[in-house]
Amino acid sequence: MRLLRVCLFVLTAAVAATRPVDAAPEFDTPAQWVILMDAATQSVLFEKSADALMPPASMSKLMTLAVVFQALKEGRLKLTDEFTTSVYAWRTGGAPSGTSAMFVPLKESATVDELLQGIAVQSGNDACIILAEGIAGSEAAFADMMTAYGKKIGLEHSIFRNSTGLPHPDHMMTARDLAKLARYLIRTYPEYYHYFAQKEFKYRKHLFHNRNPLVYQENGVDGLKTGYTEESGYGITASMVQGDQRLIVVVNGLKSKKERHEDARQLLEWGFRNFKSYKLFNEGEIIGDALVWGGTSRFVELTGNGPITVLLPRSETPKLKASIVYQGPLKPPLKKGDKVAVLKITAADVVVNEIPLYAATEVEEASIYRRGFDSLLHLAFGWLL
């Protein structure tokens, strides 16, 4: 690992231009697993056992929906397609199960659109299984699809054994993975995100109300999913927007619905009250450079993917630490747009921002003589140039 220079005066100027307020107070929560993340920067404002495996209960239905949304976006599925309730779906997640259900009658059909509403609003376990069987042939095969898709999008620790979140000893997620998943859904499937804010769903003789009471409070919360089992306790993954900023919170392991919703709401409000996003670099602006071994250029300039924004405390000139971190020296060929480094900014030892950096230009492999000369420099000076 090697640390390189970065324009710290830019960070200082950005903070100094704001009006100082009191430093962010500590936040206390009885939840066992917690994370509060800024959606734009992925900065973590608060966490507690965020990487510990936990039973996610119905919050794992977010992964079920991600797989369905992917099939819709790729054209493998249409909202008007219909699937029929099997005996297994009816018994495991329907009326006989005694769990949250959409109550699709045995051997009757429902459209994909209806089933999506049944999951997002009512948390219907039967709706999950009907979709899983319709897409993959069996719930077990669909759960494998969930795990594989999760790995693909960066859910490092999540393993799925069913489509519902009903108790299974190996069906586990982390709070961090749930926050990442929520962010992925918001950014990747905006055309389907409206399901999470839907307040009511009328199906046959039933009128279902969204199980997430935060969406009724007109405070900017527009999703996502609650969960409860005896093993997990009460939990929620929620997202809130104020102005151009969005925060995502995950809490789990609480003792009551009231505690769950109050804890999530207070944590979101605490985040908006005490932290603010700052634009540091414009799109295409050069942030710094990284050393290259054996290339036609000894350095490659680094830039962000669009403007670079970080989240900082609303405190009086917080102490900032910034560095460019990468595994180096880099080896060619490097293409423009290759992800090669990370800009790490820590504010007052509270917020850590990690922003991917990309090669701003191409660097080809140099001649054998240049590579030999670079090897000598490496041996002699350890690349401390």
Side-chain angles (χ1 to χ4, degrees), residues 224-286:
L224 295 153
K225 193 74 194 71
T226 59
Y228 169 77
T229 63
E230 187 175 342
E231 293 82 0
S232 69
Y234 289 89
I236 187 172
T237 299
S239 183
M240 185 177 185
V241 178
Q242 288 190 0
D244 59 356
Q245 187 176 1
R246 176 185 290 275
L247 297 182
I248 296 168
V249 68
V250 179
V251 296
N252 200 19
L254 291 161
K255 295 180 179 179
S256 68
K257 290 181 180 179
K258 180 179 179 181
E259 191 175 48
R260 168 179 67 188
H261 301 138
E262 283 299 303
D263 205 60
R265 179 186 60 79
Q266 291 174 12
L267 192 48
L268 286 165
E269 291 175 352
W270 174 84
F272 280 111
R273 190 167 57 248
N274 291 291
F275 298 88
K276 182 180 178 180
S277 59
Y278 298 86
K279 182 179 177 182
L280 300 183
F281 298 97
N282 295 317
E283 183 173 359
E285 191 170 351
I286 301 303

Side-chain angles (χ1 to χ4, degrees), residues 70-105:
Q70 181 192 37
L72 286 167
K73 194 159 191 173
E74 293 178 352
R76 294 182 283 109
L77 195 65
K78 297 191 296 292
L79 290 173
T80 54
D81 288 344
E82 295 186 0
F83 294 122
T84 303
T85 312
S86 68
V87 173
Y88 172 76
W90 181 69
R91 286 180 177 169
T92 307
S97 70
T99 65
S100 57
M102 180 177 156
F103 301 112
V104 184

Side-chain angles (χ1 to χ4, degrees), residues 15 19-23 313-319:
V15 176
R19 183 180 178 182
V21 297
D22 293 337
R314 294 177 185 264
S315 58
E316 187 173 350
T317 316
K319 294 180 180 179

Side-chain angles (χ1 to χ4, degrees), residues 19-339:
R19 183 180 178 182
V21 297
D22 293 337
E26 294 288 334
F27 189 88
D28 188 33
T29 170
Q32 295 183 52
W33 305 280
V34 187
I35 191 167
L36 179 65
M37 175 189 291
D38 176 71
T41 64
Q42 299 189 69
S43 304
V44 175
L45 313 184
F46 182 90
E47 62 179 288
K48 179 181 177 182
S49 301
D51 294 310
L53 287 171
M54 64 181 188
S58 287
M59 290 186 289
S60 68
K61 289 183 171 83
L62 294 177
M63 193 71 237
T64 301
L65 292 169
V67 175
V68 179
F69 292 163
Q70 181 192 37
L72 286 167
K73 194 159 191 173
E74 293 178 352
R76 294 182 283 109
L77 195 65
K78 297 191 296 292
L79 290 173
T80 54
D81 288 344
E82 295 186 0
F83 294 122
T84 303
T85 312
S86 68
V87 173
Y88 172 76
W90 181 69
R91 286 180 177 169
T92 307
S97 70
T99 65
S100 57
M102 180 177 156
F103 301 112
V104 184
L106 177 63
K107 298 185 179 179
E108 293 286 336
S109 296
T111 65
V112 171
D113 182 53
E114 289 173 328
L115 294 167
L116 288 174
Q117 294 177 77
I119 296 171
V121 177
Q122 169 61 6
S123 196
N125 292 319
D126 50 353
C128 291
I129 300 172
I130 293 167
L131 279 169
E133 292 179 332
I135 292 172
S138 71
E139 187 181 26
F142 186 84
D144 289 340
M145 292 174 63
M146 293 168 66
T147 300
Y149 192 25
K151 300 297 182 191
K152 182 179 178 180
I153 64 177
L155 309 189
E156 299 177 5
H157 307 292
S158 298
I159 298 175
F160 303 95
R161 291 291 182 254
N162 56 54
S163 63
T164 61
L166 289 171
H168 187 291
D170 298 328
H171 188 96
M172 304 291 276
M173 297 186 74
T174 66
R176 194 180 309 277
D177 276 1
L178 271 166
K180 288 181 180 179
L181 177 55
R183 180 179 186 270
Y184 181 82
L185 289 169
I186 293 164
R187 295 169 68 90
T188 309
Y189 302 114
E191 64 269 46
Y192 304 120
Y193 187 67
H194 64 89
Y195 285 111
F196 297 108
Q198 185 173 327
K199 295 180 174 64
E200 294 181 349
F201 169 47
K202 192 177 190 314
Y203 176 72
R204 293 180 179 255
K205 64 180 181 181
H206 306 285
L207 179 61
F208 301 115
H209 298 275
N210 199 312
R211 290 171 172 252
N212 177 6
L214 295 180
V215 301
Y216 297 93
Q217 296 181 6
E218 305 299 334
N219 60 357
V221 173
D222 55 9
L224 295 153
K225 193 74 194 71
T226 59
Y228 169 77
T229 63
E230 187 175 342
E231 293 82 0
S232 69
Y234 289 89
I236 187 172
T237 299
S239 183
M240 185 177 185
V241 178
Q242 288 190 0
D244 59 356
Q245 187 176 1
R246 176 185 290 275
L247 297 182
I248 296 168
V249 68
V250 179
V251 296
N252 200 19
L254 291 161
K255 295 180 179 179
S256 68
K257 290 181 180 179
K258 180 179 179 181
E259 191 175 48
R260 168 179 67 188
H261 301 138
E262 283 299 303
D263 205 60
R265 179 186 60 79
Q266 291 174 12
L267 192 48
L268 286 165
E269 291 175 352
W270 174 84
F272 280 111
R273 190 167 57 248
N274 291 291
F275 298 88
K276 182 180 178 180
S277 59
Y278 298 86
K279 182 179 177 182
L280 300 183
F281 298 97
N282 295 317
E283 183 173 359
E285 191 170 351
I286 301 303
I287 314 304
D289 47 41
L291 283 163
V292 180
W293 174 88
T296 51
S297 173
R298 186 156 292 136
F299 297 92
V300 61
E301 293 183 326
L302 304 175
T303 187
N305 182 18
I308 289 183
T309 302
V310 297
L311 206 71
L312 301 174
R314 294 177 185 264
S315 58
E316 187 173 350
T317 316
K319 294 180 180 179
L320 301 174
K321 300 175 184 176
S323 57
I324 293 175
V325 184
Y326 64 98
Q327 195 74 34
L330 304 174
K331 294 183 180 180
L334 297 173
K335 296 180 180 179
K336 183 178 180 180
D338 283 351
K339 179 182 174 182

